[in-house]
Amino acid sequence: MATLGANFVDLIDIYKQQDSSGQYIEVIEMLAEMNAILDDAIAVECNKGTEHLHTVRTGLPSVAWGKLYQGITQSKSRTAQVTDTTGFVEGLSTVDERLLKLAGANSGAVRLSEAMSYIEAMNQEVASKIFYGDTASDPEEFMGLAPRFNDLSAANGNQIIDAGGTGSDNTSIWFVTWGEQQTQLLYPKGTMAGVQREDMGRQRVLDGSSNPYFAMEEKFTWHVGLAVKDWRFVSRIANIDVSNLEAGSVQLYDFMRKAYYQLQNRRVTKSKYSTGGMKTKGPSKKICIYCNRTVLEALEALSINQGASDSFVRLKPMEIQGEEVQTYKGIPIREVDALLNTEAQVT
Protein backbone atom coordinates (compact mmCIF):
# COMPACT_ATOMS: atom_id res chain seq x y z
CA MET A 1 0.00 0.00 0.00
CA ALA A 2 1.32 3.44 -0.94
CA THR A 3 2.30 5.86 1.82
CA LEU A 4 0.00 8.85 1.50
CA GLY A 5 2.33 11.35 3.15
CA ALA A 6 5.08 10.64 0.64
CA ASN A 7 3.25 12.42 -2.18
CA PHE A 8 0.52 14.53 -0.60
CA VAL A 9 0.31 17.02 2.26
CA ASP A 10 -1.25 15.36 5.31
CA LEU A 11 -2.19 16.28 8.90
CA ILE A 12 1.30 15.52 10.16
CA ASP A 13 2.69 18.10 7.75
CA ILE A 14 0.11 20.63 8.97
CA TYR A 15 0.91 20.03 12.64
CA LYS A 16 4.63 20.42 11.93
CA GLN A 17 3.91 23.90 10.60
CA GLN A 18 1.93 25.12 13.65
CA ASP A 19 3.00 26.38 17.04
CA SER A 20 1.46 25.32 20.37
CA SER A 21 -1.46 27.73 19.88
CA GLY A 22 -2.29 26.41 16.43
CA GLN A 23 -0.87 29.40 14.57
CA TYR A 24 0.97 28.79 11.33
CA ILE A 25 4.72 29.37 11.61
CA GLU A 26 7.06 30.16 8.75
CA VAL A 27 8.89 27.12 7.37
CA ILE A 28 12.69 27.31 7.42
CA GLU A 29 13.63 26.29 3.88
CA MET A 30 16.67 24.14 4.65
CA LEU A 31 16.48 22.65 1.15
CA ALA A 32 16.73 26.05 -0.57
CA GLU A 33 19.84 26.51 -2.68
CA MET A 34 21.96 29.39 -3.91
CA ASN A 35 21.37 29.65 -7.66
CA ALA A 36 22.00 33.29 -8.49
CA ILE A 37 22.35 32.49 -12.17
CA LEU A 38 18.56 32.78 -12.40
CA ASP A 39 18.83 36.40 -11.22
CA ASP A 40 21.45 37.30 -13.82
CA ALA A 41 20.12 35.71 -16.99
CA ILE A 42 18.12 37.69 -19.51
CA ALA A 43 15.15 36.00 -21.20
CA VAL A 44 14.17 36.41 -24.85
CA GLU A 45 11.04 35.23 -26.66
CA CYS A 46 11.62 32.54 -29.29
CA ASN A 47 11.18 33.63 -32.90
CA LYS A 48 9.99 30.22 -34.13
CA GLY A 49 7.38 28.82 -31.78
CA THR A 50 9.18 26.67 -29.21
CA GLU A 51 12.47 27.09 -31.07
CA HIS A 52 14.80 30.01 -31.56
CA LEU A 53 16.58 30.38 -34.89
CA HIS A 54 19.59 32.64 -35.06
CA THR A 55 22.35 33.22 -37.56
CA VAL A 56 25.99 33.04 -36.54
CA ARG A 57 28.72 34.66 -38.64
CA THR A 58 31.41 32.05 -39.29
CA GLY A 59 33.68 34.01 -41.64
CA LEU A 60 34.44 37.57 -42.76
CA PRO A 61 34.71 38.79 -46.37
CA SER A 62 38.19 39.32 -47.76
CA VAL A 63 39.43 42.84 -48.51
CA ALA A 64 42.47 44.02 -50.46
CA TRP A 65 44.48 47.14 -51.09
CA GLY A 66 43.38 48.81 -54.31
CA LYS A 67 45.22 50.14 -57.32
CA LEU A 68 44.19 52.79 -59.79
CA TYR A 69 42.40 51.36 -62.83
CA GLN A 70 42.06 48.00 -61.14
CA GLY A 71 38.82 46.43 -59.98
CA ILE A 72 37.74 45.45 -56.49
CA THR A 73 37.95 41.77 -55.49
CA GLN A 74 34.49 40.42 -54.75
CA SER A 75 33.86 38.50 -51.56
CA LYS A 76 31.22 37.83 -48.92
CA SER A 77 30.92 36.77 -45.31
CA ARG A 78 29.95 33.24 -44.28
CA THR A 79 27.12 32.45 -41.87
CA ALA A 80 25.45 29.41 -40.33
CA GLN A 81 22.01 29.01 -38.84
CA VAL A 82 21.62 27.51 -35.35
CA THR A 83 18.36 26.37 -33.76
CA ASP A 84 17.98 26.21 -29.98
CA THR A 85 14.99 24.45 -28.44
CA THR A 86 13.00 24.92 -25.25
CA GLY A 87 11.46 22.45 -22.84
CA PHE A 88 9.11 22.77 -19.92
CA VAL A 89 9.14 21.55 -16.34
CA GLU A 90 5.88 21.11 -14.44
CA GLY A 91 4.60 20.47 -10.95
CA LEU A 92 1.12 19.85 -9.55
CA SER A 93 0.26 20.57 -5.93
CA THR A 94 -2.74 18.61 -4.66
CA VAL A 95 -4.13 19.23 -1.17
CA ASP A 96 -7.24 17.45 0.10
CA GLU A 97 -9.93 20.10 0.71
CA ARG A 98 -10.91 18.36 3.95
CA LEU A 99 -7.39 18.87 5.21
CA LEU A 100 -7.58 22.59 4.35
CA LYS A 101 -10.85 22.87 6.27
CA LEU A 102 -9.17 21.32 9.29
CA ALA A 103 -6.37 23.90 8.93
CA GLY A 104 -9.02 26.61 9.27
CA ALA A 105 -7.68 30.14 9.05
CA ASN A 106 -4.25 28.73 8.14
CA SER A 107 -5.45 27.10 4.91
CA GLY A 108 -4.13 29.92 2.72
CA ALA A 109 -0.75 29.81 4.43
CA VAL A 110 -0.58 26.03 3.93
CA ARG A 111 -1.17 26.37 0.20
CA LEU A 112 1.32 29.24 -0.08
CA SER A 113 3.99 27.25 1.76
CA GLU A 114 3.46 24.31 -0.56
CA ALA A 115 3.60 26.62 -3.59
CA MET A 116 6.93 28.08 -2.48
CA SER A 117 8.39 24.59 -2.22
CA TYR A 118 7.37 23.85 -5.80
CA ILE A 119 8.91 27.10 -7.04
CA GLU A 120 12.17 26.33 -5.20
CA ALA A 121 12.23 22.82 -6.69
CA MET A 122 11.73 24.25 -10.18
CA ASN A 123 14.45 26.87 -9.61
CA GLN A 124 16.90 24.14 -8.64
CA GLU A 125 15.95 21.99 -11.62
CA VAL A 126 16.28 24.81 -14.19
CA ALA A 127 19.54 26.07 -12.68
CA SER A 128 20.96 22.56 -12.98
CA LYS A 129 19.86 22.25 -16.62
CA ILE A 130 21.36 25.64 -17.54
CA PHE A 131 24.70 23.93 -16.93
CA TYR A 132 24.08 20.24 -17.50
CA GLY A 133 20.94 19.88 -19.66
CA ASP A 134 21.62 17.61 -22.64
CA THR A 135 19.04 16.98 -25.34
CA ALA A 136 21.15 14.14 -26.73
CA SER A 137 20.40 12.00 -23.66
CA ASP A 138 17.18 13.72 -22.51
CA PRO A 139 15.31 15.19 -25.52
CA GLU A 140 12.61 16.73 -23.33
CA GLU A 141 15.15 19.08 -21.71
CA PHE A 142 17.13 21.92 -23.31
CA MET A 143 20.82 22.10 -24.17
CA GLY A 144 22.86 23.53 -21.32
CA LEU A 145 26.33 25.06 -21.23
CA ALA A 146 28.43 22.01 -20.34
CA PRO A 147 27.54 19.92 -23.42
CA ARG A 148 28.36 22.94 -25.61
CA PHE A 149 31.79 23.42 -23.99
CA ASN A 150 32.88 19.81 -23.51
CA ASP A 151 35.56 19.16 -26.15
CA LEU A 152 39.04 20.67 -26.01
CA SER A 153 39.54 20.01 -29.74
CA ALA A 154 36.23 21.54 -30.88
CA ALA A 155 35.89 24.88 -32.65
CA ASN A 156 35.19 26.52 -29.29
CA GLY A 157 37.87 24.48 -27.50
CA ASN A 158 39.95 27.61 -26.90
CA GLN A 159 37.21 28.77 -24.53
CA ILE A 160 37.85 25.78 -22.25
CA ILE A 161 40.70 26.17 -19.79
CA ASP A 162 42.01 22.79 -18.64
CA ALA A 163 42.83 22.85 -14.90
CA GLY A 164 44.43 19.40 -15.04
CA GLY A 165 41.98 17.18 -13.16
CA THR A 166 41.74 13.65 -14.57
CA GLY A 167 39.32 11.82 -12.29
CA SER A 168 35.57 12.12 -11.76
CA ASP A 169 35.69 14.53 -8.81
CA ASN A 170 36.06 17.66 -10.92
CA THR A 171 34.18 20.94 -10.94
CA SER A 172 34.12 24.03 -13.15
CA ILE A 173 34.15 27.81 -13.03
CA TRP A 174 32.13 29.60 -15.71
CA PHE A 175 32.54 33.10 -17.15
CA VAL A 176 29.22 33.89 -18.86
CA THR A 177 28.26 37.03 -20.75
CA TRP A 178 24.50 37.57 -20.76
CA GLY A 179 23.22 39.75 -23.58
CA GLU A 180 21.17 40.10 -26.74
CA GLN A 181 24.03 38.86 -28.93
CA GLN A 182 25.77 36.63 -26.39
CA THR A 183 23.95 34.20 -24.04
CA GLN A 184 20.29 34.27 -23.08
CA LEU A 185 17.45 32.16 -21.72
CA LEU A 186 14.52 31.48 -24.04
CA TYR A 187 10.79 31.11 -23.67
CA PRO A 188 8.33 29.99 -26.40
CA LYS A 189 6.62 32.53 -28.59
CA GLY A 190 3.36 33.76 -27.08
CA THR A 191 4.19 32.62 -23.53
CA MET A 192 5.84 34.35 -20.58
CA ALA A 193 9.26 34.05 -18.99
CA GLY A 194 9.64 32.39 -15.60
CA VAL A 195 7.38 30.18 -13.50
CA GLN A 196 3.68 30.35 -14.30
CA ARG A 197 1.47 29.53 -11.32
CA GLU A 198 -2.13 28.59 -12.11
CA ASP A 199 -4.77 27.96 -9.44
CA MET A 200 -6.81 25.03 -10.78
CA GLY A 201 -9.34 25.37 -7.96
CA ARG A 202 -11.45 22.51 -6.61
CA GLN A 203 -10.83 19.30 -8.54
CA ARG A 204 -12.35 15.82 -8.38
CA VAL A 205 -9.40 13.44 -8.17
CA LEU A 206 -8.95 9.70 -7.63
CA ASP A 207 -6.98 7.95 -4.93
CA GLY A 208 -4.84 4.84 -5.41
CA SER A 209 -7.97 2.66 -5.40
CA SER A 210 -9.73 4.85 -8.01
CA ASN A 211 -12.11 6.25 -5.39
CA PRO A 212 -12.94 9.94 -5.88
CA TYR A 213 -12.35 12.82 -3.48
CA PHE A 214 -12.02 16.58 -3.86
CA ALA A 215 -8.82 18.57 -3.62
CA MET A 216 -7.49 22.04 -4.28
CA GLU A 217 -4.87 21.99 -6.99
CA GLU A 218 -2.24 24.39 -8.30
CA LYS A 219 -0.21 23.84 -11.45
CA PHE A 220 3.30 25.21 -11.93
CA THR A 221 4.86 25.42 -15.39
CA TRP A 222 8.15 26.84 -16.62
CA HIS A 223 8.98 26.96 -20.33
CA VAL A 224 12.68 27.59 -20.76
CA GLY A 225 15.61 27.11 -23.10
CA LEU A 226 19.14 28.47 -23.59
CA ALA A 227 20.86 30.09 -26.55
CA VAL A 228 24.57 30.82 -26.90
CA LYS A 229 24.75 33.14 -29.88
CA ASP A 230 28.49 33.77 -29.70
CA TRP A 231 30.60 31.22 -27.84
CA ARG A 232 33.55 33.66 -27.64
CA PHE A 233 31.70 35.41 -24.79
CA VAL A 234 31.71 32.30 -22.59
CA SER A 235 34.73 30.59 -21.04
CA ARG A 236 34.90 27.53 -18.83
CA ILE A 237 37.61 26.48 -16.40
CA ALA A 238 37.09 22.72 -16.48
CA ASN A 239 38.79 19.78 -14.76
CA ILE A 240 39.28 21.47 -11.38
CA ASP A 241 40.21 18.53 -9.14
CA VAL A 242 38.14 19.02 -5.96
CA SER A 243 40.47 16.97 -3.74
CA ASN A 244 43.49 19.00 -4.83
CA LEU A 245 41.44 22.18 -4.54
CA GLU A 246 40.57 21.46 -0.90
CA ALA A 247 44.24 20.68 -0.25
CA GLY A 248 45.16 24.12 -1.58
CA SER A 249 47.31 22.84 -4.46
CA VAL A 250 45.29 24.27 -7.37
CA GLN A 251 46.41 27.73 -8.50
CA LEU A 252 42.93 28.93 -9.34
CA TYR A 253 43.93 32.52 -10.10
CA ASP A 254 46.22 31.38 -12.93
CA PHE A 255 43.25 29.70 -14.58
CA MET A 256 40.95 32.63 -13.76
CA ARG A 257 43.30 34.98 -15.57
CA LYS A 258 43.37 32.75 -18.65
CA ALA A 259 39.59 32.43 -18.71
CA TYR A 260 39.16 36.17 -18.28
CA TYR A 261 41.37 37.05 -21.23
CA GLN A 262 39.82 34.34 -23.38
CA LEU A 263 36.55 36.31 -23.39
CA GLN A 264 36.06 38.24 -26.61
CA ASN A 265 34.97 41.47 -24.96
CA ARG A 266 35.01 42.37 -21.29
CA ARG A 267 33.22 45.71 -21.47
CA VAL A 268 29.58 46.34 -20.50
CA THR A 269 27.39 48.50 -22.73
CA LYS A 270 24.00 50.09 -22.15
CA SER A 271 20.75 49.25 -23.90
CA LYS A 272 17.03 48.96 -23.31
CA TYR A 273 17.10 45.36 -22.04
CA SER A 274 17.76 44.04 -18.58
CA THR A 275 17.16 40.85 -16.61
CA GLY A 276 14.18 38.86 -17.85
CA GLY A 277 14.01 40.74 -21.16
CA MET A 278 12.17 43.67 -19.57
CA LYS A 279 12.51 46.96 -21.43
CA THR A 280 14.43 49.04 -18.95
CA LYS A 281 17.59 51.10 -18.96
CA GLY A 282 19.75 48.20 -17.85
CA PRO A 283 22.93 46.80 -19.39
CA SER A 284 22.55 44.98 -22.72
CA LYS A 285 25.28 42.59 -21.67
CA LYS A 286 26.81 41.70 -18.35
CA ILE A 287 29.53 39.26 -17.35
CA CYS A 288 29.21 37.02 -14.31
CA ILE A 289 31.41 34.30 -12.86
CA TYR A 290 29.72 31.15 -11.55
CA CYS A 291 31.16 28.58 -9.14
CA ASN A 292 29.98 26.51 -6.21
CA ARG A 293 30.78 27.21 -2.56
CA THR A 294 33.76 24.83 -2.54
CA VAL A 295 35.46 26.88 -5.23
CA LEU A 296 34.44 30.21 -3.70
CA GLU A 297 35.94 29.20 -0.35
CA ALA A 298 39.17 28.13 -2.09
CA LEU A 299 39.34 31.46 -3.95
CA GLU A 300 39.02 33.35 -0.70
CA ALA A 301 41.65 31.18 1.01
CA LEU A 302 44.11 31.78 -1.83
CA SER A 303 43.33 35.47 -1.75
CA ILE A 304 44.14 35.69 1.97
CA ASN A 305 47.29 33.60 1.63
CA GLN A 306 48.63 35.71 -1.23
CA GLY A 307 48.62 38.87 0.85
CA ALA A 308 48.20 42.52 0.02
CA SER A 309 50.99 42.58 -2.55
CA ASP A 310 48.78 40.60 -4.92
CA SER A 311 45.79 42.89 -4.52
CA PHE A 312 45.21 43.00 -8.30
CA VAL A 313 44.02 39.40 -8.34
CA ARG A 314 42.42 39.25 -4.90
CA LEU A 315 38.69 39.03 -4.40
CA LYS A 316 37.15 42.41 -3.76
CA PRO A 317 33.72 43.07 -2.24
CA MET A 318 31.39 45.25 -4.27
CA GLU A 319 27.78 46.33 -3.81
CA ILE A 320 25.60 45.32 -6.76
CA GLN A 321 21.89 46.18 -6.63
CA GLY A 322 22.03 46.52 -2.86
CA GLU A 323 23.80 43.20 -2.33
CA GLU A 324 27.46 42.78 -1.38
CA VAL A 325 29.21 40.25 -3.58
CA GLN A 326 32.80 39.22 -4.17
CA THR A 327 34.28 40.27 -7.50
CA TYR A 328 37.24 39.37 -9.66
CA LYS A 329 38.52 42.21 -11.87
CA GLY A 330 35.20 43.93 -11.25
CA ILE A 331 33.14 40.89 -12.35
CA PRO A 332 30.70 39.54 -9.73
CA ILE A 333 31.35 35.99 -8.55
CA ARG A 334 28.03 34.22 -8.04
CA GLU A 335 27.63 31.16 -5.84
CA VAL A 336 25.67 28.42 -7.61
CA ASP A 337 24.87 25.18 -5.80
CA ALA A 338 23.80 23.58 -9.08
CA LEU A 339 27.46 23.24 -10.09
CA LEU A 340 28.66 19.77 -9.15
CA ASN A 341 31.87 18.45 -7.62
CA THR A 342 31.49 15.20 -9.57
CA GLU A 343 32.05 16.29 -13.15
CA ALA A 344 33.83 13.93 -15.54
CA GLN A 345 37.08 15.01 -17.15
CA VAL A 346 36.74 17.22 -20.22
CA THR A 347 39.15 16.02 -22.92
Side-chain angles (χ1 to χ4, degrees):
M1 183 175 68
T3 304
L4 183 63
N7 297 310
F8 300 100
V9 179
D10 58 20
L11 273 176
I12 296 176
D13 296 315
I14 298 298
Y15 289 139
K16 287 180 179 178
Q17 298 176 23
Q18 293 178 347
D19 59 20
S20 58
S21 62
Q23 296 299 310
Y24 181 82
I25 54 177
E26 184 178 358
V27 177
I28 300 174
E29 298 292 355
M30 296 183 65
L31 299 180
E33 291 187 352
M34 300 281 290
N35 286 308
I37 191 169
L38 299 173
D39 298 327
D40 301 325
I42 69 167
V44 174
E45 186 179 38
C46 290
N47 56 19
K48 192 181 176 184
T50 60
E51 300 177 336
H52 193 67
L53 178 66
H54 50 96
T55 301
V56 178
R57 194 173 307 281
T58 59
L60 297 174
S62 60
V63 296
W65 293 97
K67 295 181 181 179
L68 294 176
Y69 304 105
Q70 182 172 313
I72 302 172
T73 302
Q74 291 185 324
S75 181
K76 67 175 183 179
S77 66
R78 297 183 301 277
T79 59
Q81 286 191 325
V82 177
T83 299
D84 285 297
T85 61
T86 60
F88 61 93
V89 58
E90 292 182 305
L92 184 66
S93 170
T94 303
V95 183
D96 192 316
E97 69 170 1
R98 294 165 295 189
L99 182 64
L100 292 174
K101 289 180 180 179
L102 290 173
N106 295 329
S107 60
V110 170
R111 294 192 69 190
L112 177 60
S113 175
E114 193 68 6
M116 294 303 295
S117 69
Y118 272 87
I119 293 173
E120 173 63 24
M122 297 178 85
N123 283 343
Q124 293 184 20
E125 178 67 17
V126 171
S128 174
K129 299 312 175 187
I130 288 176
F131 292 104
Y132 301 114
D134 191 348
T135 53
S137 57
D138 297 290
E140 68 276 10
E141 298 175 358
F142 61 91
M143 187 66 77
L145 289 169
R148 301 172 193 250
F149 296 84
N150 202 39
D151 186 349
L152 295 174
S153 61
N156 64 354
N158 288 337
Q159 303 304 116
I160 306 172
I161 310 301
D162 186 359
T166 58
S168 59
D169 64 335
N170 299 314
T171 189
S172 296
I173 300 174
W174 291 88
F175 287 63
V176 179
T177 307
W178 299 101
E180 302 165 63
Q181 302 301 322
Q182 292 80 31
T183 306
Q184 54 198 220
L185 294 184
L186 303 172
Y187 59 95
K189 190 175 183 64
T191 65
M192 298 177 63
V195 178
Q196 305 303 308
R197 178 183 175 190
E198 185 178 0
D199 189 345
M200 308 301 293
R202 186 172 185 260
Q203 298 288 331
R204 184 178 185 268
V205 296
L206 302 178
D207 64 15
S209 301
S210 297
N211 296 315
Y213 68 98
F214 290 91
M216 300 297 291
E217 289 190 339
E218 281 189 286
K219 185 174 73 170
F220 303 85
T221 308
W222 193 346
H223 291 267
V224 63
L226 179 75
V228 180
K229 287 191 173 182
D230 193 335
W231 44 258
R232 300 172 303 168
F233 289 85
V234 176
S235 59
R236 176 188 186 181
I237 305 173
N239 302 333
I240 302 173
D241 188 292
V242 175
S243 299
N244 293 337
L245 182 69
E246 293 176 334
S249 59
V250 179
Q251 296 302 313
L252 282 178
Y253 284 109
D254 291 344
F255 302 119
M256 294 278 282
R257 184 183 65 251
K258 292 178 181 179
Y260 174 80
Y261 283 106
Q262 200 58 45
L263 293 175
Q264 175 67 14
N265 191 316
R266 295 165 292 279
R267 293 175 297 176
V268 175
T269 57
K270 298 291 183 179
S271 182
K272 63 182 179 179
Y273 291 98
S274 184
T275 303
M278 300 298 290
K279 294 183 178 180
T280 63
K281 294 182 180 180
S284 67
K285 66 184 181 70
K286 56 183 176 181
I287 309 171
C288 296
I289 300 171
Y290 301 104
C291 63
N292 62 26
R293 66 185 63 194
T294 304
V295 173
L296 189 56
E297 181 183 0
L299 283 171
E300 184 169 341
L302 286 172
S303 178
I304 294 171
N305 292 337
Q306 286 175 343
S309 61
D310 296 315
S311 59
F312 182 73
V313 297
R314 290 192 311 166
L315 301 184
K316 294 183 179 180
M318 180 182 296
E319 184 176 321
I320 299 177
Q321 296 180 345
E323 177 184 1
E324 183 177 280
V325 298
Q326 298 285 5
T327 64
Y328 171 78
K329 295 183 183 292
I331 302 175
I333 302 176
R334 311 287 265 166
E335 182 180 332
V336 177
D337 288 332
L339 285 169
L340 303 176
N341 285 332
T342 55
E343 295 179 354
Q345 180 186 7
V346 175
T347 58

